[in-house]
Amino acid sequence: MTKGTILVIGSNGTQLEARGGGTITIGQFLNETAVPLMTLVAAGYDFVLATPTGEKPVMDKDSDALIYFAQDDEARTRARDFFNNDPGMNDVRTIRSMIDAGLDRFAGVFFPGGHAPIVDVMQDPDAGEVLRYFHSTNKPTAAICHGPISMLAALDNARAFRAALIDGDKVKAHALGKGWQYAGYRMTVFSRSEEEYAEENVFHKKLIFNMPDALEAAGAEVINADNFTSFVVVDRELITAQNPMSDHELAAKFVAALEKAA
């Protein structure tokens, strides 16, 4: 007997538009995926991984680095083995199929990080349907780093909202954000200054928009701590983490929320 099953909403994004043209190669972040899921499994939970296409997420190559594992190569190897070889990571479904089979069997939902969700999940109508279910049933909803951008999928017209962000049309984005189920929620996400560091030192390109601006345009109260330090915000059913260094704290608070909800 397990304590429950967690729905994991992954991304199929591998190329993100850059400001001024071109793309940035991205993916799902290793530690932001594996560490919370390994913690959930150790705590007695199962998980099902679903993506928009039903294909497995591609690992962001830049995330396979010791810096995200406190320079512990053994921890990185365990995470990499989990991402590559765990049966649950390789039996991937479509989000639509999970909705059609019934979401009531899931105890919570988790959105891993990496820049990938900016490409597809944040504007995916099926992801939006999942979010509306978990919000309406008050079941724990967790997201880390860029994962919180996925919460925007719950908007009535998430695709148009994303387009307005890219165009820099703040008035239109604000109008399209009205009625968002998370308006007024306190949450965190990869910060402006952390993103600037990534743009300058990793991508050498500018993103199409930053994450705090996007969430605030829809009505979130975004809170950030110091760059690259662990920081997690819990507001009602929503648990959000700021960056890769928040993986263990996010996992612990998600498990605590699941235990409380049970």
Side-chain angles (χ1 to χ4, degrees), residues 197-244:
Y197 179 88
E199 290 171 333
E200 293 171 9
N201 297 282
V202 181
F203 301 141
H204 308 293
K205 293 180 181 178
K206 291 286 187 181
L207 265 64
I208 40 178
F209 53 80
N210 71 60
M211 306 309 109
D213 283 355
L215 293 171
E216 287 172 353
E221 181 186 342
V222 177
I223 306 162
N224 287 118
D226 292 340
N227 285 0
F228 303 110
T229 58
S230 182
F231 184 61
V232 176
V233 174
V234 180
D235 189 347
R236 287 158 278 190
E237 85 278 11
L238 186 62
I239 306 146
T240 52
Q242 178 172 320
N243 53 40

Side-chain angles (χ1 to χ4, degrees), residues 131 134-136 138-142 181-182 185 234-239 257:
L131 286 165
F134 281 90
H135 177 71
S136 67
N138 199 36
K139 290 183 177 182
T141 300
Q181 64 187 22
Y182 301 111
Y185 272 62
V234 180
D235 189 347
R236 287 158 278 190
E237 85 278 11
L238 186 62
I239 306 146

Side-chain angles (χ1 to χ4, degrees), residues 40 89 103 106 162 166 187 196 216 223 259:
L40 286 163
M89 287 296 301
L103 296 173
F106 295 108
R162 183 180 187 275
I166 295 170
M187 62 182 73
E196 287 170 1
E216 287 172 353
I223 306 162
E259 302 283 351

Side-chain angles (χ1 to χ4, degrees), residues 64-209:
D64 189 5
L66 285 172
I67 189 173
Y68 302 117
F69 298 92
Q71 304 301 320
D72 184 342
D73 191 47
E74 185 178 338
R76 178 179 65 166
T77 298
R78 284 197 304 271
R80 188 195 297 131
D81 288 347
F82 180 89
F83 193 104
N84 290 334
N85 303 317
D86 184 83
M89 287 296 301
N90 290 287
D91 183 15
V92 188
R93 323 293 177 83
T94 63
I95 302 173
R96 184 73 250 165
S97 71
M98 293 296 91
I99 295 168
D100 291 343
L103 296 173
D104 55 331
R105 70 185 179 102
F106 295 108
V109 62
F110 171 54
F111 293 80
H115 287 77
I118 307 170
V119 177
D120 53 2
V121 178
M122 74 168 288
Q123 58 179 338
D124 185 84
D126 293 332
E129 190 169 340
V130 167
L131 286 165
R132 286 188 287 273
Y133 167 80
F134 281 90
H135 177 71
S136 67
T137 55
N138 199 36
K139 290 183 177 182
T141 300
I144 182 168
C145 198
H146 291 79
I149 204 70
S150 303
M151 303 304 108
L152 294 167
L155 289 168
D156 289 339
N157 198 337
R159 190 173 299 275
F161 180 85
R162 183 180 187 275
L165 293 174
I166 295 170
D167 291 341
D169 191 337
K170 295 182 179 180
V171 173
K172 185 174 181 180
H174 182 71
L176 288 165
K178 289 189 182 302
W180 188 41
Q181 64 187 22
Y182 301 111
Y185 272 62
R186 298 169 68 252
M187 62 182 73
T188 192
V189 70
F190 204 58
S191 71
R192 294 175 180 87
S193 52
E194 287 169 327
E195 201 74 82
E196 287 170 1
Y197 179 88
E199 290 171 333
E200 293 171 9
N201 297 282
V202 181
F203 301 141
H204 308 293
K205 293 180 181 178
K206 291 286 187 181
L207 265 64
I208 40 178
F209 53 80

